[in-house]
Amino acid sequence: MKRVNIGVCGLGTVGSGTFNVLTRNLSTIRARAGCEIVISHIGARRDNPACNTGGTRISKDIFAVANDPEVDILVELIGGVTVAKDLVATALQNGKHVVTANKALIAEFGNELFEIAKQNSVTVSYEAAVAGGIPIISALREGLVANSIEWLVGIINGTGNFILTEMRDKGRDFEDVLKEAQALGYAEADPTFDVEGIDAAHKLVILSSIAFGIPLQFDKVFTEGISKISTIDVNYADELGYSIKHLGITRRRENNAVELRVHPTLIPKNQIIASVDGVMNAIMVKGDAVGPTLYYGAGAGSEATASAVIADIVRVSRLCKETVESNVPHLGFSSECLNSFDVLPIEETQTSYYLRISVEDKPGVLSSIAQIISQAGISIEALIQKEPREGQDLVSVILLTNRALERDIIGAIEKIEDLDSVAGKIVRIRVELLK
Ligand code: HSE
């Protein structure tokens, strides 16, 4: 059997999981790969008690792995973008294939790294960068290759989904649940990446590029986090038959344009994806031929992510020592045939809307609001008004609209907020029916 040497850089949660799963399932993995896969060199500053690396060579300097002539595939699991980018570039320039779980690295520097890979006739594989153990990149690049993709919607940050689930089911406050998510190890080192949607934006950009064959454009994603979602809105949404999920959404629009956005979204409770709770991830993809499809599983965690890392190691091992760029295009489209779609500004995107308006309890208020909305060319799908709470003068009016352009609803909201009988700012959350 051909032997393929793997160099693993980083022995944290995912690195130790990769080592353990490869060791435990070695004979099956070898049989499936058709070659002998050996971790020959580890780059890590310290041992990890979660795995027994035995006699494997360990270097404190990770660049020793990238410069080791014996290593065929470098597995980058150190995270971050600065050192990781230098490490990956060095490995590629040294003619090594790279496998990485680093979503920020691919989303922000993928175009550049793919070019270096191409020039050196090697490849960068990144299945583990999106949605942990769910093989969504293989599904898009291979399983759905016959389709023109219409849209993709994903719950792609486990921490955010855990927070929203706990708020809905247990009425807990945002801050309280976030602390628990950090303690359980779900959150990123900087948890604002989770709650402000940056982590999801990294993953969405990658998925959108593969779905539509467009270059990676992280700077163009509209990103809104979940930190402003209150338990009140989670409960009203529930009453209207909706769940609030933090979604990454990309949709193909007319005239070679795409929407690329991450934000809290109301979705009908009868959609399967609405019942994806806790830290689980799910991605719905609609292809013109296959219709809607759904991919569900653990989006984070040591061995779940290792599952995707090893899938890439096996895939690349099968191709090792061949010229692979033409066989495995990095974004699923040959690099000469990438599309140049425009990413639409958020004002040009279309969704339905949930609005919560605090108003004085007096005649004519509702009709003035309805008039403004109708003058903006937007129709109202549902409306509820709550009794004022004891000792309070203001009542809540909750509206669901039909699909409208973002700029039209923003204009209508500004006018409604100017009404004398309307108090404070209107809460607005986008709604997707996923049809
Ligand atoms: N912080 C990420 C999440 C980890 O919560 O989904 C996996 O990318």
Side-chain angles (χ1 to χ4, degrees):
M1 259 189 181
K2 183 171 79 178
R3 173 178 162 138
V4 178
N5 287 324
I6 313 295
V8 175
C9 291
L11 205 55
T13 310
V14 181
S16 60
T18 300
F19 192 94
N20 289 339
V21 176
L22 251 182
T23 310
R24 190 169 75 229
N25 296 339
L26 192 60
S27 60
T28 312
I29 292 169
R30 263 185 198 155
R32 285 180 169 150
C35 56
E36 197 184 347
I37 292 174
V38 180
I39 296 184
S40 60
H41 197 164
I42 293 172
R45 257 180 256 136
R46 58 191 76 84
D47 282 344
N48 185 337
C51 68
N52 177 6
T53 51
T56 312
R57 180 180 171 200
I58 301 193
S59 296
K60 284 199 165 40
D61 174 14
I62 49 175
F63 284 85
V65 181
N67 290 317
D68 179 348
E70 299 289 309
V71 166
D72 299 301
I73 303 175
L74 181 135
V75 180
E76 181 277 306
L77 302 173
I78 62 170
V81 287
T82 316
V83 180
K85 184 180 168 208
D86 287 347
L87 180 75
V88 168
T90 304
L92 296 172
Q93 278 150 355
N94 286 340
K96 300 180 196 314
H97 300 287
V98 168
V99 169
T100 178
N102 193 329
K103 54 232 161 174
L105 181 70
I106 297 300
E108 295 178 35
F109 299 105
N111 297 327
E112 201 179 316
L113 292 171
F114 297 162
E115 192 50 40
I116 300 174
K118 193 175 160 194
Q119 280 161 12
N120 290 279
S121 300
V122 285
T123 191
V124 181
S125 288
Y126 49 91
E127 181 68 73
V130 181
I134 307 174
I136 183 63
I137 290 176
S138 303
L140 282 171
R141 284 206 303 206
E142 285 142 38
L144 297 176
V145 77
N147 290 265
S148 169
I149 305 296
E150 295 178 8
W151 51 259
L152 176 153
V153 164
I155 296 173
I156 42 182
N157 181 268
T159 302
N161 202 39
F162 175 68
I163 294 173
L164 290 175
T165 306
E166 291 288 302
M167 283 169 73
R168 183 199 61 200
D169 292 349
K170 301 186 186 151
R172 294 174 62 190
D173 284 333
F174 181 92
E175 289 298 336
D176 176 35
V177 191
L178 173 59
K179 281 197 190 103
E180 187 183 345
Q182 284 177 283
L184 290 168
Y186 302 147
E188 295 294 301
D190 176 355
T192 56
F193 273 52
D194 297 294
V195 297
E196 297 307 340
I198 301 156
D199 177 74
H202 282 140
K203 294 165 181 168
L204 180 70
V205 166
I206 296 172
L207 294 177
S208 177
S209 289
I210 305 169
F212 301 122
I214 53 177
L216 297 149
Q217 299 165 85
F218 176 65
D219 54 334
K220 301 240 174 88
V221 199
F222 171 82
T223 306
E224 190 179 289
I226 54 169
S227 54
K228 293 193 195 90
I229 296 292
S230 71
T231 312
I232 301 179
D233 294 311
V234 172
N235 293 339
Y236 285 150
D238 189 64
E239 207 175 305
L240 286 160
Y242 289 79
S243 281
I244 301 184
K245 292 290 181 192
H246 197 203
L247 297 185
I249 300 171
T250 184
R251 184 188 295 273
R252 186 165 178 176
R253 290 276 301 277
E254 57 285 354
N255 303 325
N256 287 343
V258 291
E259 298 184 4
L260 197 52
R261 50 195 167 93
V262 172
H263 51 71
T265 314
L266 271 76
I267 50 174
K269 279 199 278 185
N270 62 8
Q271 287 281 351
I272 304 174
I273 195 170
S275 53
V276 173
D277 286 337
V279 291
M280 300 307 276
N281 280 197
I283 299 119
M284 252 181 118
V285 185
K286 172 124 188 266
D288 66 336
V290 71
T293 58
L294 180 67
Y295 310 84
Y296 168 85
S302 175
E303 293 205 354
T305 310
S307 166
V309 170
I310 295 167
D312 271 346
I313 291 175
V314 169
R315 206 167 49 78
V316 178
S317 295
R318 287 177 179 142
L319 301 165
C320 230
K321 298 181 177 120
E322 291 170 21
T323 302
V324 294
E325 206 279 336
S326 57
N327 298 335
V328 189
H330 287 107
L331 293 172
F333 283 60
S334 163
S335 50
E336 287 77 32
C337 304
L338 288 181
N339 291 312
S340 57
F341 293 178
D342 290 329
V343 177
L344 290 172
I346 191 70
E347 294 76 19
E348 298 297 322
T349 62
Q350 287 179 340
T351 74
S352 305
Y353 295 90
Y354 161 101
L355 305 180
R356 175 163 58 83
I357 312 168
S358 291
V359 301
E360 289 170 19
D361 190 17
K362 61 183 192 193
V365 180
L366 270 184
S367 72
S368 334
I369 293 173
Q371 204 178 356
I372 292 173
I373 292 182
S374 122
Q375 277 167 355
I378 301 167
S379 64
I380 296 172
E381 179 71 22
L383 183 150
I384 48 178
Q385 181 179 334
K386 293 287 169 187
E387 297 285 308
R389 290 197 203 139
E390 226 176 87
Q392 287 187 0
D393 299 330
L394 296 175
V395 296
S396 288
V397 172
I398 294 103
L399 284 177
L400 281 184
T401 75
N402 276 343
R403 232 172 153 69
L405 271 179
E406 177 109 353
R407 72 172 125 77
D408 292 341
I409 197 81
I410 290 173
I413 285 175
E414 281 168 3
K415 287 188 185 147
I416 296 170
E417 284 174 344
D418 281 346
L419 293 174
D420 289 341
S421 43
V422 169
K425 289 279 173 200
I426 294 174
V427 173
R428 173 178 61 109
I429 308 176
R430 297 172 187 88
V431 180
E432 289 289 348
L433 300 178
L434 307 179
K435 284 184 180 156

